[in-house]
Amino acid sequence: MDITTQAVADTASIHIKGANGAFLYDGDKPVRIVVYGPGSKAFSAVEARQSARALKRMQDNDNKISIASPEQRASEEAEDLAAITVRFENLSYPPAGKADGAELFEALYRDPKLGFIPKQVTKFVADWGNFMPGSAGN
């Protein structure tokens, strides 16, 4: 078997659901977020940053395991998700004003009233199968 036939794509699209679990549409166009997956360099960079943060917290706490505050965890999650987000499709976030790119993505991910969106993104990127060519995400 040629194992390379199982290689995953770097990116995939998530069709976002509202808080009620129904898929979101802008008219007849699906609301999607395109993200880098677990096989990509962008995802690896985020994992490295997460490890560095955990190690720094431990070093700052006399080599004892310490957990970030809820506010710090939310901030780090927004930053990390923004780093693996490629683009929004059929989705705007007016509170971010003229922000675009990572600044726009992070603003949306930080919004506690839209907390169902980062949860979907986190769950989606944890599943390598979503990045297989021909999968629902591709």
PDB file of all heavy atoms in Angstrom, residues 5-21:
ATOM      1  N   THR A   5      -1.201   7.831   0.159  1.00  0.00           N
ATOM      2  CA  THR A   5      -2.601   8.033  -0.220  1.00  0.00           C
ATOM      3  C   THR A   5      -3.438   8.444   0.997  1.00  0.00           C
ATOM      4  O   THR A   5      -4.573   8.889   0.847  1.00  0.00           O
ATOM      5  CB  THR A   5      -3.217   6.771  -0.848  1.00  0.00           C
ATOM      6  OG1 THR A   5      -3.205   5.707   0.123  1.00  0.00           O
ATOM      7  CG2 THR A   5      -2.461   6.351  -2.094  1.00  0.00           C
ATOM      8  N   GLN A   6      -2.880   8.307   2.179  1.00  0.00           N
ATOM      9  CA  GLN A   6      -3.582   8.661   3.417  1.00  0.00           C
ATOM     10  C   GLN A   6      -3.192  10.048   3.938  1.00  0.00           C
ATOM     11  O   GLN A   6      -3.641  10.462   5.009  1.00  0.00           O
ATOM     12  CB  GLN A   6      -3.301   7.617   4.505  1.00  0.00           C
ATOM     13  CG  GLN A   6      -3.777   6.228   4.145  1.00  0.00           C
ATOM     14  CD  GLN A   6      -5.281   6.202   3.918  1.00  0.00           C
ATOM     15  OE1 GLN A   6      -6.051   6.553   4.803  1.00  0.00           O
ATOM     16  NE2 GLN A   6      -5.698   5.814   2.726  1.00  0.00           N
ATOM     17  N   ALA A   7      -2.348  10.748   3.177  1.00  0.00           N
ATOM     18  CA  ALA A   7      -1.887  12.067   3.615  1.00  0.00           C
ATOM     19  C   ALA A   7      -3.048  13.050   3.721  1.00  0.00           C
ATOM     20  O   ALA A   7      -3.976  13.033   2.910  1.00  0.00           O
ATOM     21  CB  ALA A   7      -0.841  12.603   2.644  1.00  0.00           C
ATOM     22  N   VAL A   8      -2.982  13.899   4.724  1.00  0.00           N
ATOM     23  CA  VAL A   8      -4.032  14.893   4.945  1.00  0.00           C
ATOM     24  C   VAL A   8      -3.667  16.219   4.279  1.00  0.00           C
ATOM     25  O   VAL A   8      -2.500  16.508   4.037  1.00  0.00           O
ATOM     26  CB  VAL A   8      -4.292  15.120   6.453  1.00  0.00           C
ATOM     27  CG1 VAL A   8      -4.824  13.860   7.104  1.00  0.00           C
ATOM     28  CG2 VAL A   8      -3.044  15.612   7.163  1.00  0.00           C
ATOM     29  N   ALA A   9      -4.690  17.004   4.016  1.00  0.00           N
ATOM     30  CA  ALA A   9      -4.506  18.346   3.460  1.00  0.00           C
ATOM     31  C   ALA A   9      -4.088  19.302   4.577  1.00  0.00           C
ATOM     32  O   ALA A   9      -4.340  19.050   5.756  1.00  0.00           O
ATOM     33  CB  ALA A   9      -5.808  18.820   2.825  1.00  0.00           C
ATOM     34  N   ASP A  10      -3.463  20.392   4.197  1.00  0.00           N
ATOM     35  CA  ASP A  10      -3.062  21.396   5.188  1.00  0.00           C
ATOM     36  C   ASP A  10      -4.250  22.143   5.762  1.00  0.00           C
ATOM     37  O   ASP A  10      -4.214  22.586   6.913  1.00  0.00           O
ATOM     38  CB  ASP A  10      -2.099  22.414   4.572  1.00  0.00           C
ATOM     39  CG  ASP A  10      -0.668  21.925   4.523  1.00  0.00           C
ATOM     40  OD1 ASP A  10      -0.337  20.931   5.201  1.00  0.00           O
ATOM     41  OD2 ASP A  10       0.138  22.550   3.804  1.00  0.00           O
ATOM     42  N   THR A  11      -5.302  22.330   4.955  1.00  0.00           N
ATOM     43  CA  THR A  11      -6.449  23.119   5.407  1.00  0.00           C
ATOM     44  C   THR A  11      -7.761  22.395   5.138  1.00  0.00           C
ATOM     45  O   THR A  11      -7.825  21.489   4.313  1.00  0.00           O
ATOM     46  CB  THR A  11      -6.513  24.486   4.692  1.00  0.00           C
ATOM     47  OG1 THR A  11      -6.693  24.274   3.293  1.00  0.00           O
ATOM     48  CG2 THR A  11      -5.260  25.309   4.945  1.00  0.00           C
ATOM     49  N   ALA A  12      -8.788  22.838   5.839  1.00  0.00           N
ATOM     50  CA  ALA A  12     -10.150  22.350   5.622  1.00  0.00           C
ATOM     51  C   ALA A  12     -11.124  23.434   6.074  1.00  0.00           C
ATOM     52  O   ALA A  12     -10.761  24.335   6.843  1.00  0.00           O
ATOM     53  CB  ALA A  12     -10.402  21.054   6.390  1.00  0.00           C
ATOM     54  N   SER A  13     -12.361  23.324   5.611  1.00  0.00           N
ATOM     55  CA  SER A  13     -13.412  24.290   5.954  1.00  0.00           C
ATOM     56  C   SER A  13     -14.377  23.688   6.959  1.00  0.00           C
ATOM     57  O   SER A  13     -14.787  22.545   6.820  1.00  0.00           O
ATOM     58  CB  SER A  13     -14.213  24.669   4.710  1.00  0.00           C
ATOM     59  OG  SER A  13     -13.396  25.283   3.764  1.00  0.00           O
ATOM     60  N   ILE A  14     -14.743  24.502   7.932  1.00  0.00           N
ATOM     61  CA  ILE A  14     -15.727  24.110   8.938  1.00  0.00           C
ATOM     62  C   ILE A  14     -17.016  24.860   8.628  1.00  0.00           C
ATOM     63  O   ILE A  14     -17.011  26.097   8.568  1.00  0.00           O
ATOM     64  CB  ILE A  14     -15.284  24.525  10.352  1.00  0.00           C
ATOM     65  CG1 ILE A  14     -13.894  24.028  10.667  1.00  0.00           C
ATOM     66  CG2 ILE A  14     -16.302  24.072  11.388  1.00  0.00           C
ATOM     67  CD1 ILE A  14     -13.272  24.709  11.865  1.00  0.00           C
ATOM     68  N   HIS A  15     -18.100  24.142   8.426  1.00  0.00           N
ATOM     69  CA  HIS A  15     -19.411  24.789   8.287  1.00  0.00           C
ATOM     70  C   HIS A  15     -19.898  25.058   9.708  1.00  0.00           C
ATOM     71  O   HIS A  15     -20.189  24.129  10.458  1.00  0.00           O
ATOM     72  CB  HIS A  15     -20.374  23.889   7.524  1.00  0.00           C
ATOM     73  CG  HIS A  15     -21.643  24.568   7.149  1.00  0.00           C
ATOM     74  ND1 HIS A  15     -22.528  24.026   6.268  1.00  0.00           N
ATOM     75  CD2 HIS A  15     -22.193  25.753   7.527  1.00  0.00           C
ATOM     76  CE1 HIS A  15     -23.564  24.837   6.114  1.00  0.00           C
ATOM     77  NE2 HIS A  15     -23.381  25.898   6.882  1.00  0.00           N
ATOM     78  N   ILE A  16     -19.949  26.311  10.072  1.00  0.00           N
ATOM     79  CA  ILE A  16     -20.230  26.716  11.445  1.00  0.00           C
ATOM     80  C   ILE A  16     -21.711  26.539  11.783  1.00  0.00           C
ATOM     81  O   ILE A  16     -22.584  26.834  10.971  1.00  0.00           O
ATOM     82  CB  ILE A  16     -19.798  28.184  11.666  1.00  0.00           C
ATOM     83  CG1 ILE A  16     -18.289  28.327  11.450  1.00  0.00           C
ATOM     84  CG2 ILE A  16     -20.192  28.694  13.041  1.00  0.00           C
ATOM     85  CD1 ILE A  16     -17.437  27.488  12.384  1.00  0.00           C
ATOM     86  N   LYS A  17     -21.936  26.081  13.008  1.00  0.00           N
ATOM     87  CA  LYS A  17     -23.293  25.946  13.535  1.00  0.00           C
ATOM     88  C   LYS A  17     -23.548  27.068  14.530  1.00  0.00           C
ATOM     89  O   LYS A  17     -22.627  27.521  15.221  1.00  0.00           O
ATOM     90  CB  LYS A  17     -23.456  24.606  14.255  1.00  0.00           C
ATOM     91  CG  LYS A  17     -23.331  23.407  13.350  1.00  0.00           C
ATOM     92  CD  LYS A  17     -23.458  22.125  14.152  1.00  0.00           C
ATOM     93  CE  LYS A  17     -23.259  20.908  13.260  1.00  0.00           C
ATOM     94  NZ  LYS A  17     -23.314  19.662  14.055  1.00  0.00           N
ATOM     95  N   GLY A  18     -24.786  27.486  14.632  1.00  0.00           N
ATOM     96  CA  GLY A  18     -25.179  28.470  15.635  1.00  0.00           C
ATOM     97  C   GLY A  18     -25.220  27.826  17.009  1.00  0.00           C
ATOM     98  O   GLY A  18     -25.037  26.606  17.147  1.00  0.00           O
ATOM     99  N   ALA A  19     -25.526  28.608  18.005  1.00  0.00           N
ATOM    100  CA  ALA A  19     -25.595  28.101  19.376  1.00  0.00           C
ATOM    101  C   ALA A  19     -26.652  27.008  19.515  1.00  0.00           C
ATOM    102  O   ALA A  19     -26.546  26.147  20.380  1.00  0.00           O
ATOM    103  CB  ALA A  19     -25.878  29.238  20.348  1.00  0.00           C
ATOM    104  N   ASN A  20     -27.660  27.027  18.625  1.00  0.00           N
ATOM    105  CA  ASN A  20     -28.731  26.028  18.680  1.00  0.00           C
ATOM    106  C   ASN A  20     -28.395  24.743  17.918  1.00  0.00           C
ATOM    107  O   ASN A  20     -29.210  23.835  17.848  1.00  0.00           O
ATOM    108  CB  ASN A  20     -30.032  26.621  18.135  1.00  0.00           C
ATOM    109  CG  ASN A  20     -29.936  26.985  16.661  1.00  0.00           C
ATOM    110  OD1 ASN A  20     -28.887  26.841  16.032  1.00  0.00           O
ATOM    111  ND2 ASN A  20     -31.030  27.487  16.116  1.00  0.00           N
ATOM    112  N   GLY A  21     -27.198  24.694  17.324  1.00  0.00           N
ATOM    113  CA  GLY A  21     -26.776  23.491  16.612  1.00  0.00           C
ATOM    114  C   GLY A  21     -27.136  23.454  15.139  1.00  0.00           C
ATOM    115  O   GLY A  21     -26.766  22.522  14.435  1.00  0.00           O
TER     116      GLY A  21
END
